Amino acid sequence: MSSYAPATPSPTPPVGHLDLVPTPTGDIPTIVDAARAAYDHGVTRSYDARIARLRALRAVLVDGEAELLEALRADLRKPDIEGWATDIAVTIGEIDFMMKHLRRWMRPERVRLPLASMPGRARVVREPLGVALVIAPWNYPVQLMIGPMAAAIAAGNAVVGKPSELAPTVATTLGTLIARHLPGDEVGIVQGGVEETTVLLEQRFDHILYTGNGRVARVVMEAAAKHLTPVTLELGGKSPAIVAADADVATAAKRIAWGKFLNAGQTCIAPDHVLVDRRVEAAFNDALVGAISEFYGVDPRQSPDYARIVNAGHFRRLEKYLGEGQVIHGGETDADDLFISPTVITDVEPGAAVMTDEIFGPVLPIVAVDDVEAAIAHVNAHDKPLALYVFSRSRATSDRVLAATSSGGACVNHVVYHVAAPGLPFGGVGPSGMGAYHGRAGFETFSHRRSVLSKPTTIDPPVAYPPFTEAKKRLIRRFL
Ligand code: NAD
């Protein structure tokens, strides 16, 4: 579970930075009421309306690409290609997948009836829930706002979004773009931090999807409980990467380095730490350091492909981890630039904060273990993670790891990629979250499965009704 320092602003606001203008708290109930009124009028429900809104949401990303990339640069110094791939393209892919399959997902599902209920017709109808709330974090601030919103819209809901105040330029830009492309009553945006979100959570919603840390998730769930509102919680945790003795070590090192240092490690499904079989530890570490140097050069500060830490609070939190092990690569920091170089540490005590907190930054501890069984024991001694990665050339080994552990999602011989497959539900388990979305899972999350039974009136066998004669009883016992 993460334990973050309180947020503080960047020391020197970067170029293009926009300050957030919070929504006046008095306006928040009005925004939610407007969404409810739109939903109650039925304007969000039809297939055509859903497709039109999904197209508009797509246009937010396509027409707003340049503005959004600039905003991502201002808030996180996110490299353009990284911002495009992980915030924009993947979200467009998600929307396209929904548009392609929506008609089929919306189709009522025929269900067979038992003999006793015949004649009749049974079906499961997916209906919208009403007004959904999506609360997003700062690390992939476009994907994690628009993706869940798309799922809510695909399911026929009105939706209110609350971007993270810690990515204020993206939050502001998203607010402007969404207001430009979508009807403000059906798709509302509330801006702000704790104060505004607290007021927002006092309103009644029909579903809340929250992405962020476990501490705030408890606040969200408690507020939701007051209205018996169901929640989807997309949280984090310490996602391990297991490197077995028979792994393709060079490929494992390259892929782990890529997934870890993407967005400077501020990725919910980044490998948090590596559990490497000690027989290949030295070779793995060499390959890892080689991969990092190849990706980001001798001075990663000069690399156009390396992001920065989101703010001074997170920078200070991460800086402390550097002293908790032996730095075998990286370790350079610059507080003014919110820069921490891609760092690898070894010799870490199991009780050190870097081994108990979710790291959520560019510090990668390497823990040597005796074998895969020891790695499994390590994983199972901790909270169920959001993701688990296993590197092995043997199918039996990866199957063993998957069968003996649990995690929100998993990859064999890669990291992170499962998030980008819309056919795979994305979510955590236990402390890493509850519920899932992406593709059909998102549509289902924001839908109610209504069971509908239709009976003809022309046939109405008297056997079902009292008085129950002995003959009727015999028939009932036979056919029920
Ligand atoms: P954050 O600080 O931006 O918080 C997330 C949201 O919670 C924001 O919109 C914020 O305004 C709101 N919030 C903060 N305090 C609140 C309060 N007291 N009451 C109500 N709302 C409040 O983001 P974060 O939590 O620092 O995000 C990082 C965490 O999110 C990590 O644990 C990471 O693993 C997790 N995460 C998970 C996923 C996923 O898909 N599972 C994705 C990204 C991040």
Side-chain angles (χ1 to χ4, degrees):
M1 197 58 47
S2 53
S3 60
Y4 290 144
T8 44
S10 310
T12 39
V15 184
H17 170 93
L18 296 175
D19 285 330
L20 194 74
V21 180
T23 304
T25 48
D27 291 355
I28 292 172
T30 315
I31 292 169
V32 181
D33 287 350
R36 171 111 14 234
Y39 177 75
D40 288 346
H41 274 95
V43 293
T44 61
R45 286 177 166 243
S46 71
Y47 171 77
D48 288 346
R50 299 181 197 197
I51 290 289
R53 303 298 174 258
L54 288 173
R55 280 214 185 95
L57 212 53
R58 195 180 194 283
V60 165
L61 300 167
V62 174
D63 300 351
E65 179 183 318
E67 285 167 80
L68 289 168
L69 290 179
E70 191 183 334
L72 287 163
R73 234 180 291 132
D75 287 338
L76 289 150
R77 194 91 73 83
K78 218 179 247 216
D80 279 359
I81 188 63
E82 203 177 293
W84 179 82
T86 62
D87 264 301
I88 295 192
V90 83
T91 317
I92 291 175
E94 174 75 5
I95 293 173
D96 287 347
F97 187 84
M98 285 181 189
M99 291 201 292
K100 185 169 169 208
H101 297 287
L102 186 60
R103 199 181 280 283
R104 185 166 54 82
W105 295 343
M106 285 176 71
R107 215 171 276 151
E109 189 187 328
R110 291 286 293 271
V111 173
R112 287 170 74 94
L113 280 175
L115 189 60
S117 302
M118 288 199 200
R121 207 158 56 89
R123 59 201 190 277
V124 179
V125 178
R126 266 78 179 173
E127 58 176 32
L129 294 168
V131 181
L133 171 64
V134 174
I135 303 178
W138 51 267
N139 61 333
Y140 290 88
V142 179
Q143 183 201 141
L144 299 173
M145 179 86 272
I146 303 288
M149 275 187 145
I153 289 169
N157 300 279
V159 57
V160 176
K162 213 298 289 175
S164 175
E165 73 281 17
L166 300 192
T169 316
V170 174
T172 306
T173 307
L174 273 178
T176 308
L177 289 168
I178 288 172
R180 194 183 296 159
H181 287 278
L182 287 126
D185 51 349
E186 291 171 39
V187 182
I189 290 288
V190 168
Q191 300 282 12
V194 175
E195 188 188 348
E196 291 75 18
T197 317
T198 304
V199 175
L200 188 56
L201 285 169
E202 284 163 7
Q203 316 306 309
R204 182 173 72 80
F205 291 95
D206 300 291
H207 194 92
I208 300 175
L209 187 148
Y210 166 82
T211 305
N213 68 75
R215 181 182 55 79
V216 174
R218 288 165 170 81
V219 175
V220 170
M221 206 170 170
E222 216 174 300
K226 295 212 175 76
H227 298 288
L228 285 181
T229 298
V231 292
T232 301
L233 301 176
E234 297 284 340
L235 312 179
K238 291 184 76 64
S239 300
I242 298 173
V243 180
D246 68 347
D248 174 341
V249 164
T251 305
K254 196 163 63 171
R255 293 180 178 178
I256 289 171
W258 167 77
K260 177 68 182 188
F261 300 111
L262 181 76
N263 202 25
Q266 301 164 115
T267 302
C268 57
I269 47 171
D272 179 274
H273 54 283
V274 179
L275 302 170
V276 59
D277 189 305
R278 64 176 83 254
R279 288 165 283 186
V280 290
E281 185 192 6
F284 175 77
N285 288 353
D286 284 351
L288 187 65
V289 168
I292 296 169
S293 308
E294 196 184 312
F295 292 171
Y296 304 110
V298 277
D299 182 5
R301 202 173 324 207
Q302 308 302 329
S303 167
D305 300 321
Y306 190 61
R308 295 298 186 266
I309 306 307
V310 66
N311 60 33
H314 281 284
F315 176 86
R316 282 195 297 271
R317 178 181 67 78
L318 289 162
E319 208 181 21
K320 289 201 189 105
Y321 297 148
L322 301 178
E324 294 188 340
Q326 190 189 336
V327 174
I328 63 161
H329 186 78
E332 296 90 17
T333 63
D334 179 349
D336 289 337
D337 192 24
L338 296 175
F339 168 83
I340 298 181
S341 64
T343 298
V344 182
I345 61 175
T346 58
D347 301 313
V348 186
E349 290 297 322
V354 76
M355 286 311 296
T356 55
D357 297 349
E358 177 184 356
I359 298 172
F360 217 59
V363 182
L364 182 61
I366 310 292
V367 178
V369 292
D370 289 341
D371 53 19
V372 159
E373 292 306 318
I376 290 170
H378 186 284
V379 171
N380 289 338
H382 295 82
D383 286 345
K384 288 180 184 172
L386 183 58
L388 179 144
Y389 306 117
V390 51
F391 289 84
S392 169
R393 283 194 176 92
S394 143
R395 174 82 184 266
T397 302
S398 55
D399 283 353
R400 163 75 190 141
V401 170
L402 294 175
T405 59
S406 177
S407 64
C411 293
V412 176
N413 289 323
H414 217 313
V415 298
V416 173
Y417 260 77
H418 61 299
V419 72
L424 291 175
F426 183 79
V429 55
S432 56
M434 64 177 71
Y437 72 117
H438 284 196
R440 181 156 194 166
F443 173 80
E444 295 284 350
T445 285
F446 287 101
S447 298
H448 166 61
R449 283 182 302 169
R450 186 184 205 180
S451 295
V452 181
L453 177 72
S454 309
K455 299 277 281 178
T457 52
T458 42
I459 306 169
D460 200 21
V463 65
Y465 303 105
F468 294 111
T469 61
E470 287 309 312
K472 279 188 184 180
K473 284 183 199 167
R474 272 197 304 278
L475 270 173
I476 289 170
R477 282 182 177 276
R478 180 131 183 234
F479 288 110
L480 264 190

